Amino acid sequence: MTGGEILVRCLIEQGVDTIFGMPGGHLEGIYAALYDHQKEIRHILVRNEQAASLMADGYARASGRPGVCVVIPGPGASNAATGLGEAASASVPVLLITSKNEARIAGKAQSRLFHGLDHMAFFAPVARLCKSARAVQDIPGMVQEAFAILRSGRPGPVALEAAKDVLETEGDATIPPEVQPKRIEPGDNEIAKAAEMLAVAERPVIIAGSGVLHTNACDGLGRLARMLRCPVVTTQNARGAISDDDPLSLGDITVHCSRTALQESDLALALGCRFVHFDTIGWNLKLPRLIHIEADPSYIGVDFETALGIAADVAPAIEMLLGKLTAGEIRSDWGDRIKALRAEREVEKEYPIVTVLRRALPDDAILIGDVNMTAYRLRRAYKVTAPRRYFASNSYCTLGYGLPAALGAKAACPDRPVVSVIGDGGFLMTCQELATAAQFGIHIVAVVVNDNCLTSIKMGQDKRWGKRFIGVDLQNPDFPALARAFGLRGCRAADDAALEAHLREALASDTTTVIERPIEKRY
């Protein structure tokens, strides 16, 4: 087999059914193998490599499986770097595969090479693994190591490369079996200490992070919260880890009632959290005594003083805690306070577009937020009742995330409705991927909120300088006409009632729909 054939067979063995990418001369060995394996693995052509990595991100967040992209070396890899930065920021298992020049010219200055870029040095700050195959026989072990990282501990992106001649050279190799996740088990003494601390706490609170989703521990989270009779708040990347309808859920950690609960608590149990900038108000969040259970020990005790840190996966830690706790010995007594805090959340300011989305979207829909004012409101106000039904670009703030991430999510979950809420600025950064939607029949709904400016940036300029604006006003196209130019559906909603009607029509359609919702400029 050629190196490209070995690589593709290894991916198939690891359960990969979809690759997002763009071909090129250095990748001929991979694409020849993809041609021969079209029944096992689907290739979705993108129009920009940034979209390939963001589609892989959306695929991974919606499915819980690693998302895979393949890009040409040099400019293709650097274009895709944005998606790897996003995946690193949100702990998403994304695999990027690229190539490089022939091994015979190794050692030449990168600036003199065709598509010259030292990928391993370039991706090292964001990737959990950077690996290069120097021979055909290196490929199986390289892929196996990549998937061990993608499926175990705290996930994140991985970058692999193989030289053009390695991908085209024939050799013998054994295709390794699918890598199973390796769970990091906590120590019995550590869990016993945590159980003792939780049992005597009068007002414990659970902070659920994305580690709950990564280890499929949502059911255990609910059982633990009920055992402790305590409220649960989630980080922004863990929305849906507990249903917003659950009587113990206070929602996103950024809302007022969640922060009030943390202030009134005497012990917080953080499960799979990294305590990122937005969740913690720039690490100014006031926390009580803290038990921190996290797969990556480098995050424990760094930003907040920790009474007990446990380096372990969330799922086994929860099950061991449940085995140590005895209901009759638990002192937790929030009384009616949780109900009062939930009621406080219910009367928070409503946003009309969020209300429309709540009414129009079916319960199993996947909603994705780009970086815009409306999506910021979704983080706080949109009800999420199950895992992997809402996600957004949070800490990394990738403008243009919404459309490619939605296409990736739909590729992963073709039977579920997928809707993305995007600002006019973000939409124009990746709108060329409407061609991908049309070519491959990936049917999503894109709601484009249009006020002809970069609103949040303009707000910041106004706050700091007064009405001294630069670089924030936009000249936009006719968005519905742009969608129709790709052979897709496009419409304009003059008000929220029309938006709801168009949403319902779009969800019933079998074609991607762009719904423009013009709104008045605030400045």
Side-chain angles (χ1 to χ4, degrees):
M1 296 180 288
T2 65
E5 173 78 10
I6 293 167
L7 176 61
V8 169
R9 288 197 181 191
C10 285
L11 294 175
I12 293 169
E13 188 65 29
Q14 294 301 327
V16 175
D17 59 12
T18 304
I19 289 180
F20 306 95
M22 183 180 290
H26 289 73
L27 302 174
E28 288 172 350
I30 294 176
Y31 275 81
L34 287 173
Y35 181 87
D36 291 336
H37 290 279
Q38 293 179 70
K39 290 183 179 180
E40 297 101 328
I41 195 165
R42 169 179 54 166
H43 177 267
I44 294 178
L45 174 67
V46 300
R47 300 308 191 268
N48 183 286
E49 293 90 353
Q50 175 179 327
S53 54
L54 292 176
M55 287 183 195
D57 179 289
Y59 179 102
R61 293 202 212 192
S63 67
R65 305 188 300 273
V68 182
C69 61
V70 57
V71 297
I72 62 167
S78 57
N79 282 343
T82 294
L84 260 66
E86 174 64 43
S89 174
S91 298
V92 180
V94 169
L95 172 60
L96 179 143
I97 299 169
T98 188
S99 184
K100 64 178 180 179
N101 288 290
E102 295 91 335
R104 66 179 178 81
I105 56 176
K108 299 288 185 183
Q110 294 290 337
S111 61
R112 296 166 56 200
L113 295 177
F114 178 42
H115 288 336
L117 180 66
D118 183 346
H119 300 121
M120 300 299 95
F122 186 76
F123 288 123
V126 293
R128 292 193 60 210
L129 172 71
C130 293
K131 199 89 172 182
S132 181
R134 298 183 179 182
V136 169
Q137 290 75 19
D138 295 339
I139 293 174
M142 180 177 76
V143 173
Q144 193 170 39
E145 184 178 358
F147 277 85
I149 288 175
L150 291 165
R151 292 190 172 126
S152 302
R154 175 166 286 279
V158 169
L160 302 181
E161 71 171 9
K164 173 178 168 61
D165 52 346
V166 171
L167 292 172
E168 296 173 7
T169 298
E170 291 187 352
D172 295 326
T174 300
I175 307 301
E178 184 174 359
V179 175
Q180 299 303 315
K182 291 184 179 179
R183 293 296 176 225
I184 305 169
E185 300 283 341
D188 189 72
N189 290 338
E190 295 174 318
I191 290 296
K193 176 62 176 175
E196 180 184 334
M197 293 169 66
L198 289 164
V200 299
E202 295 182 356
R203 282 197 166 187
V205 63
I206 296 174
I207 306 172
S210 59
V212 176
L213 301 182
H214 301 325
T215 59
N216 298 313
C218 298
D219 177 70
L221 170 65
R223 287 184 285 123
L224 181 61
R226 288 188 290 276
M227 168 74 82
L228 294 171
R229 304 186 295 274
C230 74
V232 179
V233 304
T234 68
T235 64
Q236 293 183 62
N237 285 328
R239 293 291 312 279
I242 185 171
S243 170
D244 283 337
D245 286 334
D246 192 296
L248 295 176
S249 171
L250 297 181
D252 187 337
I253 194 172
T254 65
V255 301
H256 180 71
C257 65
S258 292
R259 291 181 172 167
T260 300
L262 288 168
Q263 290 170 3
E264 296 178 3
S265 170
D266 59 350
L267 181 68
L269 171 63
L271 298 171
C273 301
R274 292 181 303 152
F275 294 115
V276 299
H277 182 274
F278 279 175
D279 288 342
T280 60
I281 333 170
W283 297 283
N284 289 313
L285 186 66
K286 303 300 181 185
L287 292 179
R289 280 200 315 156
L290 179 65
I291 300 172
H292 191 181
I293 300 176
E294 161 58 39
D296 187 338
S298 68
Y299 292 111
I300 298 176
V302 173
D303 304 304
F304 295 94
E305 184 178 348
T306 304
L308 177 62
I310 302 175
D313 280 318
V314 171
I318 287 177
E319 296 306 319
M320 289 179 68
L321 276 172
L322 288 167
K324 297 285 186 184
L325 290 164
T326 302
E329 297 176 355
I330 293 172
R331 298 182 188 175
S332 175
D333 184 11
W334 281 86
D336 293 329
R337 185 59 177 144
I338 301 174
K339 186 182 296 184
L341 289 169
R342 282 180 56 81
E344 176 188 315
R345 182 187 178 198
E346 291 298 324
V347 299
E348 281 198 355
K349 182 179 179 181
E350 278 286 347
Y351 302 100
I353 292 180
V354 177
T355 303
V356 167
L357 289 164
R358 279 181 179 173
R359 285 201 302 259
L361 269 58
D363 192 50
D364 67 338
I366 299 171
L367 180 63
I368 298 168
D370 202 296
V371 178
N372 60 85
M373 293 304 297
T374 302
Y376 295 159
R377 291 161 182 163
L378 288 175
R379 295 174 185 175
R380 298 170 61 93
Y382 183 75
K383 184 182 289 186
V384 185
T385 57
R388 306 191 184 281
R389 291 187 183 175
Y390 168 80
F391 53 86
S393 175
N394 292 315
S395 295
Y396 206 57
C397 289
T398 304
L399 193 62
Y401 174 82
L403 179 61
L407 294 172
K410 185 67 174 181
C413 306
D415 297 328
R416 295 175 62 186
V418 177
V419 177
S420 188
V421 177
I422 316 169
D424 46 340
F427 186 70
L428 283 180
M429 292 191 77
T430 51
C431 65
Q432 74 279 349
E433 300 310 323
L434 290 174
T436 298
Q439 181 173 351
F440 293 93
I442 306 174
H443 304 144
I444 65 162
V445 182
V447 177
V448 180
V449 181
N450 179 17
D451 60 358
N452 295 293
C453 73
L454 301 172
T455 310
S456 62
I457 301 172
K458 196 169 186 179
M459 288 172 62
Q461 290 184 0
D462 182 53
K463 183 177 181 180
R464 185 163 186 177
W465 304 329
K467 309 234 176 263
R468 291 161 50 85
F469 301 126
I470 182 168
V472 290
D473 292 302
L474 304 175
Q475 180 172 328
N476 286 324
D478 182 327
F479 288 114
L482 179 64
R484 291 193 289 270
F486 285 99
L488 305 172
R489 298 178 73 246
C491 51
R492 183 173 290 109
D495 54 32
D496 293 322
L499 174 61
E500 183 169 353
H502 285 309
L503 263 173
R504 294 185 185 279
E505 290 174 3
L507 290 168
S509 170
D510 61 357
T511 303
T512 284
T513 302
V514 174
I515 306 173
E516 180 188 1
R517 175 65 177 97
I519 59 174
E520 186 177 348
K521 277 188 179 183
R522 296 180 59 182
Y523 300 92

